[in-house]
Amino acid sequence: AQTVTQSQPEMSVQEAETVTLSCTYDTSENNYYLFWYKQPPSRQMILVIRQEAYKQQNATENRFSVNFQKAAKSFSLKISDSQLGDTAMYFCAHAGGTSYGKLTFGQGTILTVHP
Amino acid sequence: NAGVTQTPKFQVLKTGQSMTLQCAQDMNHNSMYWYRQDPGMGLRLIYYSASEGTTDKGEVPNGYNVSRLNKREFSLRLESAAPSQTSVYFCASSGSRGRLSTNYGYTFGSGTRLTVV
């Protein structure tokens, strides 16, 4: 069974600074996807970034980038130039290639951006 | 707007009552899912439907039933609600056909906050 672990229940950062959220996972599959989702107080689940396991290049989306270490099964999210609107719960998630798209989520990290 | 629509957004039930959470997607996705979100536990899969006509248990299926009515709709039923089922419920859909593709997409509904007293 896949597991996803986020060891940081809460993080805080000053506006305009950089913060990194950690995620580790365990899987027996070779083909899989990893995701970071943002959940603001509105409760909506918003996709931040996605990484395909077969791609060695780390995914980037504007101010968001990941550090994907496949051998170590680590998938951290770096947020650069943090903005007040980045304040939210962040979830790391895994979907295996043979799991019909079922997502396994980590426990979540609450990120607070301070002005 | 295309997406996943969940109803209701809020619900309060008494212990032992039954209810059905409705979910519909208009993205022509094959797979649909029901998750529950509890503090400190992330989202956990209750049931999923890989394609129309099929349903399977997820991580926490006890106390729930599902129906994949057609390709668009996937409902979750609580037959006899218990306080332990107080949670936020999310429906989601994906374009996965069982094998991940480069166009893999995943869309969530806005959630249902259910309280069982």
Side-chain angles (χ1 to χ4, degrees):
Chain A
Q2 292 111 354
T3 59
V4 178
T5 302
Q6 294 177 249
S7 58
Q8 305 156 315
E10 296 186 37
M11 293 282 285
S12 63
V13 65
Q14 292 297 126
E15 194 174 10
E17 293 187 346
T18 296
V19 63
T20 298
L21 308 185
S22 300
C23 174
T24 59
Y25 61 95
D26 191 18
T27 182
S28 58
E29 301 193 57
N30 288 320
N31 182 26
Y32 54 88
Y33 281 80
L34 296 165
F35 305 83
W36 279 98
Y37 281 93
K38 171 185 177 181
Q39 186 182 47
S42 67
R43 217 168 57 202
Q44 186 66 39
M45 295 290 286
I46 302 167
L47 177 64
V48 174
I49 201 164
R50 179 182 77 187
Q51 174 80 43
E52 293 93 335
Y54 64 87
K55 290 186 176 179
Q56 293 185 344
Q57 185 174 4
N58 288 327
T60 62
E61 288 288 342
N62 300 314
R63 297 182 295 107
F64 299 88
S65 62
V66 298
N67 182 4
F68 174 46
Q69 301 290 328
K70 189 173 184 179
K73 295 182 179 176
S74 171
F75 183 61
S76 61
L77 175 70
K78 186 172 80 171
I79 305 174
S80 304
D81 186 24
S82 297
Q83 300 175 0
L84 297 179
D86 295 334
T87 293
M89 173 80 84
Y90 287 81
F91 290 102
C92 178
H94 167 284
T98 59
S99 64
Y100 294 94
K102 296 179 291 181
L103 285 172
T104 300
F105 287 86
Q107 302 89 332
T109 297
I110 300 172
L111 175 66
T112 303
V113 180
H114 297 286
Chain B
N1 290 335
V4 176
T5 303
Q6 277 184 247
T7 55
K9 294 192 183 303
F10 300 93
Q11 183 71 49
V12 179
L13 290 179
K14 294 181 179 179
T15 298
Q17 287 185 319
S18 63
M19 78 161 295
T20 299
L21 305 182
Q22 306 287 352
C23 176
Q25 54 95 4
D26 58 5
M27 294 169 292
N28 201 35
H29 282 168
N30 286 305
S31 302
M32 298 185 73
Y33 315 84
W34 277 104
Y35 291 88
R36 61 176 288 172
Q37 180 180 5
D38 301 293
M41 304 188 76
L43 281 74
R44 293 179 294 167
L45 184 65
I46 305 170
Y47 270 92
Y48 70 101
S49 171
S51 61
E52 184 178 357
T54 68
T55 61
D56 283 288
K57 295 178 181 179
E59 182 184 353
V60 288
N62 291 344
Y64 305 95
N65 285 301
V66 291
S67 296
R68 183 74 183 265
L69 305 171
N70 48 54
K71 190 171 185 178
R72 290 187 63 248
E73 298 172 288
F74 187 41
S75 62
L76 178 73
R77 183 162 179 82
L78 287 71
E79 291 291 352
S80 179
S84 61
Q85 294 178 304
T86 293
S87 187
V88 178
Y89 291 84
F90 285 95
C91 178
S93 70
S94 80
S96 169
R97 290 175 174 270
R99 292 173 61 85
L100 297 180
S101 73
T102 55
N103 293 322
Y104 184 76
Y106 215 104
T107 304
F108 285 84
S110 57
T112 297
R113 180 174 293 279
L114 174 67
T115 303
V116 183
V117 298

